[in-house]
Amino acid sequence: MALPWTLHGDGKTVGPRDVVAPGERLNWPLTIGIGAQHVVAMFGATFLVPLLTGFPPSTTLLFSGIGTLLFLVITRNKLPSYLGSSFAFIAPITAATATAGMGSALFGIVVVGFLLAVVGLVVQLTGTGWIDVLMPPVVSGAIVALIGFNLAPVAKSNFSAAPLTAIITLAAVILSTVMFRGILGRLSIFIGVVIGYLSAVAFGEVDFSKVAAAPWLGLPQFTGPTNPFENPAVFGLLPAFLPVVLVLVAENVGHIKGVAQMTDAKVNRYTGRALMADGLATMLAGFSGGSGTTTYGENIGVMAATRIYSTAAYWVAGIVAIMLGLSPKIGAVINTIPAGVLGGVTTALYGLIGIIGVKIWLDNKVDFSRPVNQFTAATALIIGIADYTFTVGTLSFNGIALGTIAAIVIFHLMSWVGRLRRTDR
């Protein structure tokens, strides 16, 4: 059977102004190398999510690879993207696991995946216009920002466990961003983890006992979600997960627009398929013990740097991720990363999630002289950062859920009243 890619030029060279389109590829040795590069780009962030949430890293890596291949199939090889672990899940997973165990968190992940797939189906039928109406930039930016800032106490807790290691790690992340050019500069999180890890080893903070005992090949740990009909209490945890759907929609739509801008506007027509694919990949991970997925900006950055958008490279990346997921020894090594390293990385990383929300405001020129924008962002951020909670029976709404609701309700309520009273200029 013929492969779906045509060879770009001679398959060996890419001119300074050339773009390798999604339906093209270079020769296979170069394509494999580019695919491996995408694995490195996604690796630093993808393995951090299971480490921070207590999920098995090998399982998460396995299903990020499977999810990526599923994404490529559903989008018909037209949309180059890698599905890695979404940081939007960290806060609700942490809360659910602490309250009712890992199975309850997996149930939340499955529900988020299902809702995202439904949104994708609706977008495929109706377009993305209604998303822009429901979540204009001031709202979507506030939601993304409050999720990052809500996680600040987690970063502080890990940082405090080994301050010196955390400082070395954080310094390595920051300095590698400006010391290296091109792709290496985009791998600052990964570089920071490596340097911080080596420091932790030197300080005697790493326990290798489980690494030696782990086999090189084997299936990762599989865990199923809690059955809500056997334990209805897990329904009370869903409010913490529901805002993640909005974040995943915003991330996917934003990433697809970015790829379309760099390649071909026709890519936008696959937005619905992309959302459905990410939803199904998230459901598949949730049913098996992996974390929810999202399209990865790190890999889009690699494409921008190399001008190579071939989906063939992402097939390679997905296959490599699956192979890594089938190595318990690699999972055991990842599990040895100590709290100090995580504290240093997440101090920067969680802040960057918040700044991405701010960037949404800047990129869309949100006018903060307007009271409706001021109160939408201000109220949502304070609720999210302070982690306000509201409990009704078995339902508990945390700061992320309440902040998300506040952003949407305040914006639309103030806009409606402003139009009605003609006070909105």
Side-chain angles (χ1 to χ4, degrees), residues 39-49 51-52 85 87 90 155 165-166 168-180 182-198 296-299 302 337 340-353 356:
V39 172
V40 174
M42 70 82 185
F43 195 82
T46 292
F47 79 71
L48 273 179
V49 175
L51 275 180
L52 296 170
S85 304
F87 279 85
I90 293 175
T165 300
I168 292 172
T169 304
L170 179 59
V173 171
I174 293 170
L175 292 176
S176 62
T177 305
V178 291
M179 287 179 63
F180 301 117
I183 294 166
L184 275 180
R186 296 179 183 274
L187 300 179
S188 57
I189 296 294
F190 183 76
I191 293 170
V193 169
V194 171
I195 293 175
Y197 186 82
L198 293 175
Y296 252 32
E298 289 88 341
N299 297 90
V302 170
I337 297 176
V341 175
L342 297 179
V345 169
T346 54
T347 295
L349 200 59
Y350 292 164
L352 285 176
I353 296 172
I356 288 171

Side-chain angles (χ1 to χ4, degrees), residues 189-246:
I189 296 294
F190 183 76
I191 293 170
V193 169
V194 171
I195 293 175
Y197 186 82
L198 293 175
S199 301
V201 171
F203 297 150
E205 298 170 0
V206 181
D207 179 10
F208 290 106
S209 59
K210 293 184 179 179
V211 176
W216 280 103
L217 293 175
L219 292 175
Q221 174 187 339
F222 294 120
T223 306
T226 298
N227 185 339
F229 299 106
E230 294 179 355
N231 184 8
V234 296
F235 284 112
L237 301 171
L238 289 183
F241 283 88
L242 298 182
V244 177
V245 179
L246 301 178

